Amino acid sequence: MEKKVVTIYDVAEAANVSMATISRVVNGNANVKEETRKRVLEVIDRLNYRPNAVARGLASKKSTTIGVILPDITDLYFASLAKGIDDVASMYKYNIILTSLQENIGDEEQILNNLLSKQVDGLIYMGKQLSKKLKRTLGSSKTPIVLAGSVDRNNETASVNIDFTDAVYNVVSQLIQNGHKKIAFVGGSLENPIDGKYRLDGYKKALKKAHINFSSNLVFEAEYSVRAGEAIWDAVKNSGATAAYVTEDLLASGILNSAMKSATSIPDDFEIFTSNNTVLCEVTRPKLSSIEEPLYDIGAVAMRLLTKMMNQEQIDENTVKLPYSIVKRESTN
Amino acid sequence: MEKKVVTIYDVAEAANVSMATISRVVNGNANVKEETRKRVLEVIDRLNYRPNAVARGLASKKSTTIGVILPDITDLYFASLAKGIDDVASMYKYNIILTSLQENIGDEEQILNNLLSKQVDGLIYMGKQLSKKLKRTLGSSKTPIVLAGSVDRNNETASVNIDFTDAVYNVVSQLIQNGHKKIAFVGGSLENPIDGKYRLDGYKKALKKAHINFSSNLVFEAEYSVRAGEAIWDAVKNSGATAAYVTEDLLASGILNSAMKSATSIPDDFEIFTSNNTVLCEVTRPKLSSIEEPLYDIGAVAMRLLTKMMNQEQIDENTVKLPYSIVKRESTN
DNA sequence: ACACAATTTGCAAGCGTTTACCTTGTTATT
DNA sequence: AATAACAAGGTAAACGCTTGCAAATTGTGT
């Protein structure tokens, strides 16, 4: 026996009113007599009626669903952002469609179209950067989007993050103050504007301030992984660097691993600053000093901003920068 | 000027066929002349038509969306499972609605109802356990569900995981072989059947085999966090234990932290086995020996299993156990 | 008791698809 | 040449809801 699913009609009939009224009470519309509302709610409860969100979405053109695009959910950086997003989203009753993006595969266009076809009310993007093409298909759809933990070169797109340049400027300056002349910059792909532009800018700025010449020999590019960090250590060491600013924790952990293995004393012989302050920083030995991005908050604020955009509220600032801090642990003096 | 959204009618008109035909080509139905198909595809491309998945869902009663319920996305354990799920899901063109569950808050019922109202075609659950109540509302909806990395006491619900009992039996046996008589079992909430039943059973079994009496003084319950691990060390040490099996990596890292701080030499004075083999195990010093659950695979297989259930295919085994392995690193001899 | 306003309700037209069922034109069969 | 069989495409009825508008009901002031 097929159990028939309960629709708004069934409720209407059982409550002896029209379906419009049911819809009204479900949606909290004020134009319903208190008595009727009570009766309807009872019936809803009795019949175990559960409004069909798909039908609702079709009729109202709102899905109360947002799309979240990120590179890798097992990366604590994104996971933390995602958590902030998730919490605020559920606070505002939005659901999240999570899609991960293999940045190399170049299926971004497809992913975006898929999300748009699902009629998401908004999007949060955490990829490296929004391509022109994506911006275009996005523009034609009017779906609001905000970048979390990422920057838009031209500030056309709303975004929430920290002042990367300033943060790196600060930690590199500290390393300089500690007496280092040769400081390595170990980042991910420099094509990513965060590393290749903002962070590197901060690094250069700090050097300049201290009248140290920038040398591209001290700039390293590696994948974000422990393995890559371990592998790059020799090169870093051989460059003559006595300290390093690393843009990501796994990478920094790998470097630390190899450094320890090669009997380099950290922080005495070599200092390391990393960037994301994930738990990793607390379980390595020595523990890693790090820039601390308020990841959870970035996610939360990004989501909050998105809700405003979805409600067409006035936005005061298109791009918000949250305060960061610097956590000194054992990998620096 | 409001840009009108392109519907199937627009395409039909422009291609000079009926909307049914458009629908057919979009859905890959065979009853379309090759020539017509080509023409339609061109028009679709030209008009930039994007089928409305919500309308589709309403008409077809399929959302090509599944719901994923997990406790905490920043926990690498769940993130890894999620990644496996995500990859397979996108392989099969399913979208994922991610919802996290504050297990203490007790809003599970609501979360589930929300997901069901969105008409998800299936569910993957990673919480501690499915309450009777949830099972009931689930049963009345016919939506298939599979547990990933979790067990159903009565094997009523499909699930994918490893043989927890066996795994723990093995590592504890190894510790015993290394000469330990007093081995601590440090787990999360023992109400969670995985820890409180399966793993603890393995522990007991190993003791029994070696004719060591079980003592509840050696069983510790803690939250899954570095902090909790650090805090519990003294108690563990004072219990007289000379080794520990820990059910989670953060917890193990915390214990390791405190042990090192108290100048306990690991593994010489104290051995530690942990359970999830997340990256954490590789960045601690000494590196942690661990049971290795194939988390990604568990997620992937769970999702694959779910696709079968959604297609009403014949399922050979309701509950599948994947092989685990044991990775020896530096925290054990 | 009456006119008018406000409050509640119902009606029915969408929302953009899918799909069962028909119609038409072709080809193969005898 | 007549008929069967099929391929290709069209028609229109769902799917379960929201919502503008009209109708009915109730309340108010006189």
Side-chain angles (χ1 to χ4, degrees):
Chain A
M1 185 204 81
E2 273 299 301
K3 208 174 241 166
K4 187 73 171 49
V5 66
V6 185
T7 76
I8 203 171
Y9 285 101
D10 303 324
V11 181
E13 194 179 337
N16 230 319
V17 290
S18 80
M19 44 163 313
T21 300
I22 308 298
S23 175
R24 291 195 184 96
V25 354
V26 167
N27 292 297
N29 184 308
N31 292 341
V32 183
K33 211 196 295 179
E34 189 51 32
E35 182 197 321
T36 324
R37 176 188 310 282
K38 279 241 178 68
R39 181 157 39 96
V40 169
L41 286 176
E42 259 165 35
V43 175
I44 285 182
D45 197 55
R46 180 157 54 78
L47 299 193
N48 223 295
Y49 167 65
R50 185 191 299 127
N52 180 323
V54 173
R56 259 221 260 217
L58 183 57
S60 69
K61 291 162 170 283
K62 291 197 177 127
S63 61
T64 58
T65 298
I66 65 152
V68 171
I69 304 176
L70 46 64
D72 179 6
I73 192 62
T74 62
D75 182 328
L76 275 171
Y77 180 84
F78 298 113
S80 305
L81 287 170
K83 187 162 196 182
I85 293 168
D86 187 73
D87 282 0
V88 174
S90 70
M91 208 171 285
Y92 285 87
K93 310 285 182 210
Y94 280 98
N95 279 112
I96 286 182
I97 296 187
L98 217 259
T99 51
S100 44
L101 174 188
Q102 315 282 307
E103 311 215 45
N104 33 343
I105 310 242
D107 53 351
E108 293 202 67
E109 182 81 12
Q110 206 195 106
I111 284 181
L112 181 57
N113 272 318
N114 171 247
L115 248 20
L116 291 178
S117 83
K118 293 260 168 161
Q119 313 302 114
V120 295
D121 297 334
L123 287 162
I124 292 192
Y125 185 86
M126 307 191 227
K128 296 192 208 306
Q129 56 181 322
L130 222 43
S131 69
K132 288 255 178 278
K133 205 171 164 195
L134 287 197
K135 275 193 190 174
R136 216 172 315 119
T137 83
L138 219 42
S140 79
S141 86
K142 295 284 183 194
T143 309
I145 184 169
V146 4
L147 311 181
S150 168
V151 199
D152 182 32
R153 285 170 184 285
N154 322 312
N155 286 344
E156 296 165 353
T157 313
S159 68
V160 181
N161 42 240
I162 65 166
D163 187 331
F164 292 106
T165 302
D166 192 58
V168 175
Y169 170 81
N170 266 307
V171 296
V172 174
S173 292
Q174 290 197 16
L175 291 174
I176 292 174
Q177 236 157 37
N178 288 355
H180 297 280
K181 301 285 183 215
K182 296 190 120 186
I183 301 170
F185 176 98
V186 188
S189 162
L190 297 182
E191 306 219 332
N192 178 346
I194 295 185
D195 281 13
K197 178 164 170 13
Y198 300 99
R199 283 176 170 149
L200 197 52
D201 276 359
Y203 171 77
K204 288 178 180 169
K205 219 167 125 193
L207 295 187
K208 189 161 194 177
K209 171 96 181 300
H211 306 295
I212 299 177
N213 283 328
F214 169 78
S215 156
S216 60
N217 294 330
L218 290 170
V219 176
F220 298 86
E221 215 171 338
E223 190 192 313
Y224 285 170
S225 75
V226 175
R227 215 66 68 214
E230 290 172 345
I232 212 168
W233 165 251
D234 282 339
V236 172
K237 185 64 180 174
N238 290 336
S239 71
T242 58
Y245 161 67
V246 187
T247 65
E248 200 262 347
D249 295 349
L250 285 170
L251 193 50
S253 303
I255 291 176
L256 182 62
N257 271 178
S258 285
M260 297 297 283
K261 196 181 239 162
S262 75
T264 304
S265 164
I266 307 247
D268 296 339
D269 300 345
F270 195 95
E271 295 189 51
I272 299 178
F273 248 120
T274 181
S275 305
N276 296 339
N277 197 37
T278 56
V279 259
L280 284 186
C281 299
E282 294 185 52
V283 303
T284 57
R285 182 157 304 269
K287 296 180 184 172
L288 289 164
S289 297
S290 177
I291 292 170
E292 177 177 36
E293 287 187 45
L295 295 174
Y296 178 91
D297 295 347
I298 291 177
V301 171
M303 183 63 214
R304 179 67 184 100
L305 182 56
L306 186 60
T307 64
K308 285 187 187 167
M309 294 170 73
M310 293 187 294
N311 287 331
Q312 331 245 35
E313 291 176 30
Q314 185 56 47
I315 309 297
D316 13 285
E317 293 199 84
N318 193 37
T319 125
V320 6
K321 292 213 184 305
L322 261 30
Y324 63 91
S325 57
I326 293 176
V327 182
K328 284 196 162 193
R329 294 207 182 78
E330 305 159 359
S331 67
T332 55
N333 283 316
Chain B
M1 187 204 81
E2 274 300 303
K3 206 174 245 168
K4 186 72 169 49
V5 65
V6 185
T7 75
I8 203 172
Y9 284 102
D10 303 324
V11 180
E13 195 179 340
N16 232 317
V17 290
S18 79
M19 45 163 314
T21 299
I22 308 298
S23 176
R24 290 198 183 95
V25 354
V26 167
N27 292 298
N29 184 307
N31 291 341
V32 184
K33 212 195 297 178
E34 190 51 29
E35 182 196 319
T36 323
R37 176 188 310 281
K38 278 241 179 70
R39 182 156 40 96
V40 169
L41 285 175
E42 259 165 35
V43 175
I44 285 182
D45 198 53
R46 180 157 55 77
L47 298 193
N48 224 296
Y49 167 67
R50 186 191 298 127
N52 181 324
V54 173
R56 258 218 263 213
L58 183 58
S60 68
K61 290 165 171 280
K62 291 196 176 129
S63 62
T64 57
T65 298
I66 65 152
V68 171
I69 303 175
L70 46 65
D72 179 6
I73 192 63
T74 62
D75 183 328
L76 274 171
Y77 180 83
F78 298 113
S80 304
L81 287 170
K83 186 162 196 181
I85 293 169
D86 187 73
D87 282 0
V88 174
S90 69
M91 207 171 286
Y92 285 86
K93 310 286 182 210
Y94 281 99
N95 279 113
I96 286 182
I97 295 187
L98 217 258
T99 52
S100 44
L101 175 188
Q102 314 282 307
E103 310 214 46
N104 32 343
I105 309 244
D107 53 352
E108 293 203 68
E109 182 81 12
Q110 207 194 106
I111 284 181
L112 181 58
N113 272 318
N114 171 247
L115 248 19
L116 291 178
S117 83
K118 292 260 167 161
Q119 314 301 118
V120 295
D121 298 333
L123 287 162
I124 292 192
Y125 185 85
M126 307 192 229
K128 296 192 208 305
Q129 55 180 323
L130 222 44
S131 69
K132 287 255 178 279
K133 206 172 166 194
L134 287 197
K135 275 194 190 172
R136 216 172 314 118
T137 82
L138 219 43
S140 78
S141 86
K142 295 284 181 196
T143 309
I145 184 169
V146 5
L147 311 181
S150 168
V151 199
D152 182 32
R153 285 170 185 285
N154 323 311
N155 285 344
E156 296 164 352
T157 312
S159 68
V160 180
N161 43 242
I162 65 166
D163 188 332
F164 294 106
T165 302
D166 192 57
V168 175
Y169 170 82
N170 265 307
V171 298
V172 174
S173 293
Q174 290 197 15
L175 291 174
I176 293 174
Q177 233 157 39
N178 288 355
H180 298 280
K181 301 285 183 216
K182 296 190 121 186
I183 301 170
F185 176 99
V186 188
S189 161
L190 297 182
E191 305 218 334
N192 178 344
I194 294 185
D195 281 12
K197 178 163 168 16
Y198 300 100
R199 283 176 170 148
L200 197 52
D201 276 359
Y203 170 78
K204 288 177 180 169
K205 218 167 122 194
L207 295 187
K208 189 162 196 176
K209 171 97 180 299
H211 306 296
I212 299 177
N213 282 329
F214 169 80
S215 155
S216 60
N217 294 329
L218 290 171
V219 176
F220 298 86
E221 214 170 339
E223 190 193 313
Y224 284 169
S225 75
V226 175
R227 216 67 68 214
E230 289 172 345
I232 212 168
W233 165 250
D234 281 341
V236 172
K237 184 65 180 170
N238 290 336
S239 72
T242 57
Y245 160 67
V246 187
T247 65
E248 199 263 346
D249 294 348
L250 285 171
L251 193 50
S253 303
I255 291 175
L256 181 62
N257 272 178
S258 285
M260 296 297 283
K261 195 180 237 163
S262 75
T264 305
S265 165
I266 308 255
D268 297 340
D269 300 346
F270 196 94
E271 294 188 52
I272 300 178
F273 248 121
T274 181
S275 305
N276 296 338
N277 197 37
T278 57
V279 259
L280 286 185
C281 299
E282 293 185 54
V283 303
T284 57
R285 183 156 301 270
K287 295 180 183 172
L288 290 164
S289 296
S290 177
I291 292 170
E292 177 176 37
E293 288 187 45
L295 295 174
Y296 178 91
D297 295 347
I298 291 177
V301 171
M303 183 63 213
R304 180 66 184 100
L305 182 56
L306 186 60
T307 64
K308 285 188 187 164
M309 294 170 73
M310 293 188 295
N311 288 329
Q312 332 245 35
E313 289 175 32
Q314 186 57 47
I315 309 297
D316 13 283
E317 292 199 86
N318 194 37
T319 126
V320 7
K321 293 212 184 302
L322 261 31
Y324 63 90
S325 58
I326 294 176
V327 182
K328 284 196 160 191
R329 295 209 181 77
E330 306 159 357
S331 66
T332 57
N333 284 316

